[in-house]
């Protein structure tokens, strides 16, 4: 029975590939690639002549039967544009279909952007909630962030350069001014790891360029101790004092660690 190999490829530096991966890419009958141009560059660098076929987000369903038929004749390797296939990249449907057909599915571990970012972030690594790419729409992105606002584990997410700043502003609004590590172009020429608070990162990345991985500190004990209900009495005091809404939100956030978005919802309920 043939094997479907799930092969991790470099996320930037072409040297970040295992000897086993190179051997498998040479030996299989076909390589299914998310981006054949990127994979062709890798194969040329290592003088690998294996035939390529495209397998990406918009043809993954139509290509499924073709690849399963090819598996009947020989081993296939699946690669993404960078990193580990099926992790925020095409591959899940093929893995499931191959397993259902009785083919063996074998992982070849290697480079992963979010694992690399987590390792150098300086934030807790004992547990992590991987969020993948944050939703494009603001409402969906905020709802996702709200759903993990009280998780104690470190959070990890991918973001594109043109949405980085709006995403960071949403993180600030929903999760508060937490510690973050914003990693740019990992393993590439312009690699950068920025560590600081969310507000610091917004100030730093004025014109974001490259691919980003955001590592976010989990909800701390300080944030968990005081909930919104406990802050309502303090809100009443501040509102009666005549303080502006903006000043009140800033002060309450500093005192409680509760995200401004949650505080503002309760503030509006006060008479």
């Amino acid at each position: 029975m043939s094997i479907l190999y799930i092969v991790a490829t470099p996320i930037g530096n072409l040297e970040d590939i295992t000897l086993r991966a190179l051997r498998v890419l040479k030996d299989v009958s076909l390589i299914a690639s998310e981006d054949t141009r990127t994979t062709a560059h890798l194969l040329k660098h290592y003088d690998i002549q294996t035939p390529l076929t495209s397998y990406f987000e918009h043809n993954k369903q139509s290509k499924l039967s073709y690849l399963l038929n090819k598996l009947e004749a020989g081993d296939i390797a699946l690669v993404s544009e960078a990193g580990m296939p099926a992790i925020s990249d095409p591959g899940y449907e093929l893995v499931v279909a191959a397993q259902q057909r009785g083919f063996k599915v074998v992982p070849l571990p290697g480079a992963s952007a979010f694992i690399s970012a987590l390792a150098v972030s300086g934030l807790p690594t004992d547990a992590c909630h991987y969020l993948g790419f944050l939703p494009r729409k603001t409402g969906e992105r905020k709802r996702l962030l709200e759903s993990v606002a009280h998780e104690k584990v470190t959070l990890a997410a991918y973001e594109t350069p043109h949405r980085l700043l709006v995403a960071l502003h949403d993180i600030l609004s929903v999760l508060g001014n937490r510690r973050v590590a914003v990693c740019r172009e990992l393993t590439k020429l312009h690699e950068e790891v920025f560590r600081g608070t969310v507000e610091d990162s917004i100030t730093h990345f004025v014109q974001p360029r490259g691919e980003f991985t955001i590592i976010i500190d989990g909800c701390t004990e300080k944030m968990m101790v005081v909930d919104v209900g406990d802050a309502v009495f303090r809100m009443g005091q501040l509102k009666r004092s005549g303080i502006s809404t903006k000043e009140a939100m800033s002060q309450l956030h500093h005192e409680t660690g509760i995200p401004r978005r949650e505080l503002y919802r309760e503030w509006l309920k006060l008479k």
Side-chain angles (χ1 to χ4, degrees), residues 32-99:
S33 166
E34 181 187 12
D35 187 324
T36 54
R37 293 167 300 178
T38 301
T39 305
H41 178 63
L42 174 69
L43 299 185
K44 181 179 180 180
H45 184 80
Y46 287 104
D47 193 25
I48 297 173
Q49 308 297 323
T50 307
L52 274 175
T53 189
S54 65
Y55 180 77
F56 55 93
E57 183 64 28
H58 299 296
N59 79 349
K60 62 184 181 183
Q61 294 297 339
S62 61
K63 216 58 181 292
L64 201 56
S65 295
Y66 170 80
L67 291 175
L68 291 173
N69 289 335
K70 285 293 185 180
L71 266 174
E72 296 285 354
D75 297 341
I76 290 179
L78 173 67
V79 300
S80 64
E81 182 179 3
M84 194 70 182
I87 307 298
S88 292
D89 279 321
Y92 168 75
E93 293 85 357
L94 180 58
V95 168
V96 172
Q99 291 173 336

Side-chain angles (χ1 to χ4, degrees), residues 149-215:
H150 296 296
E151 292 196 11
K152 296 181 180 180
V153 301
T154 303
L155 307 173
Y158 291 143
E159 194 50 275
T160 58
H162 63 280
R163 288 199 302 269
L164 177 70
L165 288 176
V166 293
L168 288 172
H169 278 287
D170 287 345
I171 290 169
L172 179 63
S173 171
V174 177
L175 302 182
N177 195 27
R178 299 189 185 184
R179 293 186 300 158
V180 293
V182 182
C183 305
R184 182 174 76 91
E185 295 286 270
L186 287 174
T187 81
K188 300 177 184 177
L189 181 62
H190 300 292
E191 175 182 274
E192 178 182 9
V193 179
F194 179 83
R195 303 176 183 87
T197 65
V198 182
E199 289 180 345
D200 292 336
S201 63
I202 291 172
T203 302
H204 179 76
F205 291 103
V206 179
Q207 294 181 314
R209 294 180 180 178
E211 299 301 318
F212 289 86
T213 306
I214 308 171
I215 308 298

Side-chain angles (χ1 to χ4, degrees), residues 97-113:
Q99 291 173 336
Q100 291 174 342
R101 290 279 191 96
F103 295 110
K104 188 175 182 181
V105 180
V106 175
L108 272 65
S112 169

Side-chain angles (χ1 to χ4, degrees), residues 133-141 159-160 162-163 166 170:
F133 281 96
L134 293 175
R136 295 184 179 187
K137 295 182 179 179
T138 299
E140 294 177 3
R141 187 166 54 242
E159 194 50 275
T160 58
H162 63 280
R163 288 199 302 269
V166 293
D170 287 345

